[in-house]
Amino acid sequence: MSWGTELWDQFDNLEKHTQWGIDILEKYIKFVKERTEIELNYAKQLRNLSKKYQPKKNSKEEEEYRYTACQAFLSTLNEMNDYAGQHEVISENMTSQITVELARYVQELKQERKSHFHDGRKAQQQIETCWKQLESSKRRFERDCREADRAQQYFEKMDADINVTKADVEKARQQAQIRHQMADDSKADYSSYLQKFNLEQHEYYHTHIPNIFQKIQEMEERRIVRIGESVKTYAELDRQVIPIIGKCLDGIVTAAESVDPKNDSQLVVEAYKSGFEPPGDIEFEDYTQPMKRTVSDNSLSNSRGDGKPELKFGGKSKGKLWPFIKKNKPPPPPPASASPSAVPNGPQSPKQQKEPLSHRFNEFMTSKPKIHCFRSLKRGGATPEDFSNLPPEQRRKKLQQKVDELNKEIQKEMDQRDAITKMKDVYLKNPQMGDPASLDHKLAEVSQNIEKLRLEAQKFEAWLAEVEGRLPARGEQSRRQSGLYDTQSAPAVNNCAQDRESSPDGSYTEEQSQESEVKVLATDFDDEFDDEEPLPAIGTCKALYTFEGQNEGTISVVEGETLYVIEEDKGDGWTRIRRNEDEEGYVPTSYVEVYLDKNAKGAKTYI
């Protein structure tokens, strides 16, 4: 099947058909372009949706995402963000591999089509010119033949007429011969043009037009194949992202399966546990004997029988059933001068007779908050430094968090001090690199900061030890992870409690507690960082020069050696690297070329 032989006389229809094919191709390009815009808008809306429901940093909402159900929701948001990224990939790939490529192909196709039909019109013009020449020679031959016949008839008429002179007859004869000669010449021209036209016409219908139409057919078939390939590419681009989208959905399913209601319930306990003991039974108060009435330890309206002030945790009385009743305004505390003798005929309550140890333990637990609430009132209601305004369990968590923060700051300062010390050693060995004396002021300042942070950490550690001593026995997993306190810290706790209880005015000063805490904990703090996990690798580096690490904390490297980077330069000119599990240290940053990993947070520790 060939358009040149089957459609030799359909030049105009082929021109319309090929133009229609180009229009179809342009329509498909427009469709793909609109699809890419939809994908981009969809991805943008998904990202905005994910961002809208992301927890705000440093807000209460961020703390709520400790629960596994909220973490599953957060994982869903993150996976939806990746899901949106795949739709962006679809849009980009369709634009680059379909829209742009087809747009370029359409331009080439238009140029090729224009060239083919230009050749076809040129061939048509050529055959039409030959046809016009043939028609012209034919009409001339026909006219000359008629003229020759008329001249011949006129000559015969003159020759038969006896009245005509011989000269006139001769003239007519010559005129007839001329006309016959012209007719012969026209006949020869007509024959020549006819042969030429027939030859041109044969070439036109059997050579030129078939070749041109064959090229047009091939062009059209390439266009059809290109559309088919584009449609296939369209489907493949969607198929390529299906595995990644599947992983996103698998991540959501995994997050859903990780929801642990027991764990969330335990987190609620840790978040809101006060550490108080449940209130005991309310004792019967016998009003038939008014002179011997006992003051119940669990009464909602009376103060304790021993007459001690009971301002606890914002003014809540100890015997109040606060977990189960509405929060009414608490009664004012009894006067400071109250004593056991101030209550007429006030013997010890039955609660105290039956459970003296529990009573003393509760009293010991609430003695410090009582005093610090007075101090906070004097300061205008500000939060106490030792978080004594919080329930015991919440206070322990806050103190532990503060201790961890201080330990991190101390470690940071110690790293900076080590770096400055190493730089000073380098300056001592190579004076041309810098003046060692210029680092003394900075070194002293860092050491002073470390000492201040240590004192602060020891103060909070003492408070934490005191709180943990007051709370009921806890499991090993709930003990503090820092490991600074052991059996040697018990005297410090006792001293803190004795100092607080022996204060003549019932108050407690931070200066007294700091003196005792510093003495006890000074020898224990240096062991805090001994059990730290090795730092993860955040990239690699290549040694540009050979460096012999002769000082403590440095490591020797050979030019061209590749090592792991575990701590980048903090502005002191040193980079911390690791060769293997047991060999690590500092090298000058100018001696190595560092390649940091973009996903450094997720880098695995070198083994």
Side-chain angles (χ1 to χ4, degrees), residues 218-281:
E218 293 174 356
M219 176 193 71
E220 186 69 9
E221 289 176 354
R222 288 198 306 271
R223 177 191 66 82
I224 296 172
V225 170
R226 193 62 177 268
I227 290 180
E229 292 175 349
S230 299
V231 172
K232 184 178 179 180
T233 303
Y234 178 88
E236 290 296 331
L237 293 178
D238 260 342
R239 194 190 304 275
Q240 288 174 3
V241 302
I242 289 178
I244 303 178
I245 291 178
K247 290 182 179 179
C248 295
L249 299 178
D250 292 341
I252 296 176
V253 173
T254 303
E257 293 174 350
S258 66
V259 173
D260 186 358
K262 298 296 183 182
N263 182 71
D264 286 0
S265 299
Q266 181 62 31
L267 290 177
V268 174
V269 172
E270 295 177 0
Y272 301 110
K273 182 179 179 181
S274 65
F276 294 122
E277 292 183 355
D281 296 337

Side-chain angles (χ1 to χ4, degrees), residues 66-326:
R66 297 176 302 165
Y67 302 100
T68 57
C70 295
Q71 289 176 358
F73 177 52
L74 183 60
S75 298
T76 301
L77 296 178
N78 295 332
E79 295 295 346
M80 289 305 297
N81 199 44
D82 296 339
Y83 185 88
Q86 297 309 309
H87 286 277
E88 292 177 346
V89 170
I90 291 175
S91 176
E92 293 174 359
N93 291 340
M94 285 187 176
T95 300
S96 61
Q97 300 184 28
I98 297 180
T99 305
V100 175
E101 293 296 330
L102 286 184
R104 185 185 303 111
Y105 177 71
V106 165
Q107 297 301 322
E108 296 175 356
L109 188 64
K110 287 181 178 179
Q111 292 295 329
E112 183 179 1
R113 174 181 176 275
K114 181 179 179 180
S115 175
H116 293 327
F117 282 99
H118 175 73
D119 294 341
R121 290 191 182 90
K122 186 177 180 181
Q124 282 184 338
Q125 292 176 357
Q126 181 68 22
I127 195 66
E128 288 175 359
T129 300
C130 292
W131 172 256
K132 289 179 181 180
Q133 291 178 351
L134 177 62
E135 287 294 322
S136 176
S137 63
K138 180 180 178 181
R139 287 193 298 270
R140 188 170 56 254
F141 172 59
E142 182 181 5
R143 185 180 62 251
D144 290 344
C145 287
R146 286 196 301 269
E147 292 294 332
D149 290 341
R150 283 197 297 268
Q152 182 65 30
Q153 292 175 1
Y154 180 74
F155 167 69
E156 291 177 354
K157 182 180 178 181
M158 292 294 289
D159 188 48
D161 191 356
I162 59 174
N163 295 323
V164 178
T165 62
K166 187 175 181 180
D168 292 335
V169 173
E170 184 63 24
K171 183 177 179 181
R173 186 181 64 79
Q174 292 178 356
Q175 189 67 27
Q177 290 178 352
I178 293 173
R179 291 297 179 181
H180 280 292
Q181 184 62 40
M182 292 177 62
D184 293 337
D185 294 341
S186 297
K187 181 180 180 181
D189 292 340
Y190 172 66
S191 177
S192 174
Y193 281 115
L194 180 61
Q195 293 178 359
K196 181 179 179 181
F197 175 77
N198 289 333
L199 181 61
E200 290 290 338
Q201 181 175 253
H202 185 274
E203 290 288 332
Y204 176 79
Y205 287 112
H206 294 84
T207 303
H208 297 310
I209 288 298
N211 290 339
I212 294 173
F213 282 11
Q214 184 64 31
K215 292 179 181 178
I216 295 175
Q217 180 181 356
E218 293 174 356
M219 176 193 71
E220 186 69 9
E221 289 176 354
R222 288 198 306 271
R223 177 191 66 82
I224 296 172
V225 170
R226 193 62 177 268
I227 290 180
E229 292 175 349
S230 299
V231 172
K232 184 178 179 180
T233 303
Y234 178 88
E236 290 296 331
L237 293 178
D238 260 342
R239 194 190 304 275
Q240 288 174 3
V241 302
I242 289 178
I244 303 178
I245 291 178
K247 290 182 179 179
C248 295
L249 299 178
D250 292 341
I252 296 176
V253 173
T254 303
E257 293 174 350
S258 66
V259 173
D260 186 358
K262 298 296 183 182
N263 182 71
D264 286 0
S265 299
Q266 181 62 31
L267 290 177
V268 174
V269 172
E270 295 177 0
Y272 301 110
K273 182 179 179 181
S274 65
F276 294 122
E277 292 183 355
D281 296 337
I282 299 177
E283 301 294 338
F284 176 77
E285 299 181 12
D286 190 358
Y287 287 93
T288 60
Q289 299 178 3
M291 299 304 293
K292 297 182 180 181
R293 184 183 307 144
T294 60
V295 181
S296 175
D297 182 48
N298 295 317
S299 176
L300 300 180
S301 59
N302 296 332
S303 61
R304 296 177 54 86
D306 57 3
K308 292 184 179 180
E310 288 298 323
L311 181 60
K312 303 171 186 174
F313 307 112
K316 294 181 181 178
S317 65
K318 178 175 181 291
K320 186 175 180 181
L321 300 177
W322 49 271
F324 311 105
I325 64 177
K326 296 182 179 179

Side-chain angles (χ1 to χ4, degrees), residues 423-573:
M423 184 179 293
K424 184 177 179 180
D425 294 339
V426 173
Y427 287 175
L428 289 173
K429 291 184 177 182
N430 302 301
Q432 67 275 11
M433 296 182 66
D435 184 11
S438 62
L439 302 176
D440 292 339
H441 175 71
K442 182 65 175 177
L443 190 60
E445 181 180 352
V446 172
S447 299
Q448 186 178 4
N449 292 339
I450 294 175
E451 189 64 25
K452 289 180 180 179
L453 291 173
R454 281 181 174 177
L455 293 176
E456 189 77 7
Q458 290 167 3
K459 179 174 63 176
F460 280 93
E461 288 282 357
W463 286 333
L464 182 60
E466 180 182 359
V467 172
E468 292 187 342
R470 286 183 174 187
L471 292 177
R474 301 171 59 88
E476 289 299 329
Q477 294 181 352
S478 63
R479 300 298 295 173
R480 293 174 291 116
Q481 297 178 357
S482 59
L484 290 178
Y485 290 92
D486 51 14
T487 56
Q488 296 178 357
S489 63
V493 178
N494 295 333
N495 291 336
C496 293
Q498 292 174 3
D499 292 342
R500 180 176 293 103
E501 294 180 354
S502 63
S503 180
D505 57 352
S507 63
Y508 172 74
T509 58
E510 297 176 2
E511 290 78 5
Q512 295 173 354
S513 65
Q514 290 178 2
E515 292 177 0
S516 60
E517 291 161 1
V518 171
K519 291 179 181 179
V520 175
L521 303 174
T523 59
D524 296 336
F525 184 79
D526 293 336
D527 298 332
E528 181 179 2
F529 304 103
D530 291 342
D531 297 330
E532 288 184 350
E533 294 293 331
L535 294 175
I538 60 174
T540 58
C541 67
K542 181 180 180 181
L544 302 177
Y545 315 99
T546 299
F547 175 73
E548 297 180 1
Q550 300 178 356
N551 295 329
E552 181 180 0
T554 61
I555 184 173
S556 300
V557 296
V558 181
E559 180 181 353
E561 185 178 5
T562 301
L563 306 100
Y564 289 89
V565 178
I566 58 176
E567 183 179 321
E568 59 180 325
D569 190 353
K570 298 181 179 179
D572 52 11

Side-chain angles (χ1 to χ4, degrees), residues 304 306 308 358-367:
R304 296 177 54 86
D306 57 3
K308 292 184 179 180
S358 174
H359 168 68
R360 292 301 179 186
F361 180 73
N362 291 336
E363 181 182 357
F364 177 73
M365 284 181 60
T366 57
S367 61

Side-chain angles (χ1 to χ4, degrees), residues 338-356:
S339 63
S341 62
V343 181
N345 300 326
Q348 296 293 329
S349 65
K351 174 73 174 180
Q352 294 170 340
Q353 295 175 0
K354 294 180 179 180
E355 297 178 345

